[in-house]
Amino acid sequence: MTSKNYQPKPEHKFTFGLWTVGNRGRDPFGDATRPTLPPIKIVKELSRLGAYGVNLHDNDLVPIDATRQERDATVREFKKALADHGMKVPMATTNLFYDPVFKDGAFTSNDPRVRLYALQKTMRSMDLGAELGAHIYVFWGGREGAEVDAAKDPREALKWNREALNFLCEYSIDQGYDYKFALEAKPNEPRGDIYLPTTGAMLGFIATLDHPEMVGVNPEVGHEQMSGLNFYHVVAQAIEAGKLFHIDLNDQKGPRFDQDLRFGSESIKNLFFLVKLLEESYDGPRHFDAHSYRSEDEAGVWDFAAGCMRNYLILKDKARQFNEDAEIQSLLSEIRSTEADDGVPIGCYSRERADEIKSRSMDRTELAKKQLPYERLDQLTVDILLGVR
Ligand code: GCO
Ligand code: MN
Ligand code: MN
């Protein structure tokens, strides 16, 4: 039985972005409420809390206007901190949204010079990530979208995006970086509309790339919930397609602005099924892309980080309890039984098989009589989640 102190350990592969615990509480209506946390301090504190690693955008570590010497000194110090605290950098990404140059997009800017600059910035950032040991490279196109559809042709935007990703796949291969690319969708914010707004749209786009085998997805809980989607289903599809290369865990109060709340603070049942799914069929990092409430000070930030990992481990323990619950398991075998001894299920196509199915006598009234005790099953799940079972 899992110990009930829910102590995070590196083997759980919990990671945080430097930008997540480093979030200063700024929002569109108000300024920062907390001081800057230096990356080295973040590495130290997260290691103390039991995390496995940290992830970063290029400019979370190296300021956009740093000289080569400044960059190298910063990277050297950061690598030392990682080694001192036994922390990894499994994922890296590029900030293609903060600087005004990206005000109308990076890879999908109407201006080819901006697209080229975005490509240059990404290659340099891939170099940085590789130097830190990252093997997953995330693409979140926060500015890849539009408010004014008259201004940009979304078909062109898709072509430009594809051209950039194809180029960067070749760059990764040529440099021997061994990156897996993970595309992250979001329907809007900061743009009025962002292209490729859902993980499902990303999966369709990936199939059109030159190296689809190198490219998967990085779904984020809140981003799919902003579109009103069931995150558990989204991730299940990505896993089934062999495309879950990374995941951004957080929480969200329904379809509205992106809230990046502490994992497990809101959508308990959906995230329970998510954790159960991840534990069954995903072994990559469990990355928290969330931030503490604006009202917290630094101590609250560490409470937030500990809370994300704690909630994950609680839900993992609930999944174990669900799997070991005799009544639940017997309900599941009753619900899922097919009495499949007479040519059910469908099987592969053959003309004979098609003819046989078409001519079969099937009693739909009888089929409709099957008992489906979903109320009982769901209540047992709720009892487990509420801790009364
Ligand atoms: C968001 C996004 C970002 C990206 C991150 C990686 O909350 O809008 O999730 O946090 O994941 O910037 O590029
Ligand atoms: Mn988000
Ligand atoms: Mn994210």
Side-chain angles (χ1 to χ4, degrees):
M1 176 140 171
T2 313
S3 79
K4 292 285 185 197
N5 62 9
Y6 308 111
Q7 173 60 46
K9 300 192 186 99
E11 74 209 39
H12 296 127
K13 291 201 187 157
F14 291 132
T15 61
F16 290 82
L18 289 182
W19 71 95
T20 63
V21 281
N23 179 288
R24 299 185 55 204
R26 200 177 271 127
D27 71 17
F29 299 93
D31 208 347
T33 58
R34 297 185 279 268
T36 304
L37 278 174
I40 287 175
K41 170 119 200 249
I42 293 177
V43 167
K44 180 174 161 220
E45 291 300 321
L46 287 175
S47 156
R48 181 180 62 78
L49 292 174
Y52 170 78
V54 289
N55 301 316
L56 48 96
H57 303 87
D58 46 357
N59 305 135
D60 297 339
L61 184 64
V62 181
I64 194 164
D65 46 12
T67 63
R68 184 72 207 190
Q69 286 89 330
E70 286 162 350
R71 176 226 184 256
D72 289 348
T74 305
V75 173
R76 213 176 312 118
E77 261 180 71
F78 187 66
K79 279 166 95 170
K80 180 171 182 314
L82 292 169
D84 288 351
H85 298 286
M87 292 278 277
K88 304 267 184 276
V89 176
M91 176 274 257
T93 183
T94 328
N95 187 324
L96 294 174
F97 44 87
Y98 191 82
D99 194 88
V101 69
F102 301 124
K103 65 189 176 189
D104 192 29
F107 300 143
T108 66
S109 166
N110 265 327
D111 185 339
R113 294 166 307 172
V114 174
R115 301 204 295 273
L116 201 67
Y117 173 67
L119 196 77
Q120 178 196 69
K121 191 171 193 290
T122 303
M123 287 192 286
R124 290 180 177 174
S125 176
M126 285 168 65
D127 299 343
L128 172 66
E131 193 177 339
L132 297 171
H135 289 288
I136 302 162
Y137 205 86
V138 163
F139 289 83
W140 174 62
R143 298 279 172 198
E144 314 293 15
E147 290 76 37
V148 178
D149 279 333
K152 220 189 269 188
D153 182 336
R155 293 169 302 180
E156 284 300 309
L158 279 172
K159 288 193 176 70
W160 294 330
N161 203 345
R162 181 180 302 117
E163 182 181 36
L165 286 170
N166 284 340
F167 192 99
L168 292 167
C169 281
E170 296 295 351
Y171 180 70
S172 177
I173 293 167
D174 191 30
Q175 299 295 314
Y177 284 163
D178 192 32
Y179 274 126
K180 291 267 189 195
F181 288 1
L183 310 188
E184 177 177 347
K186 186 174 179 181
N188 57 272
E189 195 191 343
R191 298 314 298 262
D193 286 290
I194 297 179
Y195 300 130
L196 298 167
T198 62
T199 295
M202 288 296 183
L203 287 171
F205 176 65
I206 289 167
T208 72
L209 299 175
D210 288 350
H211 286 286
E213 74 289 351
M214 285 178 64
V215 187
V217 291
N218 177 40
E220 175 168 319
V221 178
H223 296 183
E224 304 295 321
Q225 292 189 352
M226 287 168 76
S227 301
L229 302 180
N230 180 328
F231 191 67
Y232 169 60
H233 294 190
V234 167
V235 174
Q237 187 190 354
I239 287 177
E240 204 273 336
K243 289 295 185 193
L244 189 70
F245 289 3
H246 197 256
I247 190 159
D248 278 3
L249 302 171
N250 61 18
D251 215 336
Q252 168 81 13
K253 291 174 189 271
R256 53 184 77 179
F257 73 96
D258 187 27
Q259 296 174 316
D260 296 326
L261 297 171
R262 187 176 80 261
F263 180 72
S265 57
E266 296 289 333
S267 323
I268 308 258
K269 198 198 278 181
N270 195 255
L271 295 183
F272 162 73
F273 285 108
L274 173 73
V275 169
K276 184 169 173 297
L277 174 70
L278 294 178
E279 290 302 310
E280 286 163 4
S281 49
Y282 169 78
D283 66 2
R286 275 71 172 156
H287 171 68
F288 298 105
D289 186 7
H291 51 76
S292 182
Y293 304 127
R294 188 166 184 266
S295 42
E296 297 295 324
D297 60 9
E298 185 188 324
V301 169
W302 305 123
D303 287 343
F304 148 82
C308 286
M309 296 187 282
R310 180 176 173 79
N311 288 344
Y312 188 99
L313 292 175
I314 294 171
L315 292 174
K316 178 177 167 177
D317 192 50
K318 298 287 182 188
R320 178 199 52 77
Q321 193 187 343
F322 180 97
N323 288 335
E324 288 172 3
D325 190 296
E327 188 177 354
I328 289 179
Q329 293 312 313
S330 114
L331 280 173
L332 285 177
S333 46
E334 183 188 331
I335 288 161
R336 293 174 182 174
S337 81
T338 54
E339 289 161 35
D341 55 0
D342 59 347
V344 180
I346 290 176
C348 289
Y349 181 83
S350 69
R351 188 168 295 171
E352 299 67 46
R353 179 69 175 139
D355 288 343
E356 191 221 320
I357 294 171
K358 280 207 295 185
S359 60
R360 197 176 257 256
S361 95
M362 294 175 94
D363 186 345
R364 69 174 197 286
T365 315
E366 195 52 37
L367 290 177
K369 285 187 185 149
K370 184 173 162 75
Q371 299 289 302
L372 295 172
Y374 291 171
E375 289 290 357
R376 179 75 189 140
L377 177 63
D378 188 70
Q379 188 56 47
L380 291 171
T381 308
V382 170
D383 280 5
I384 286 181
L385 292 177
L386 296 184
V388 298
R389 187 163 169 84

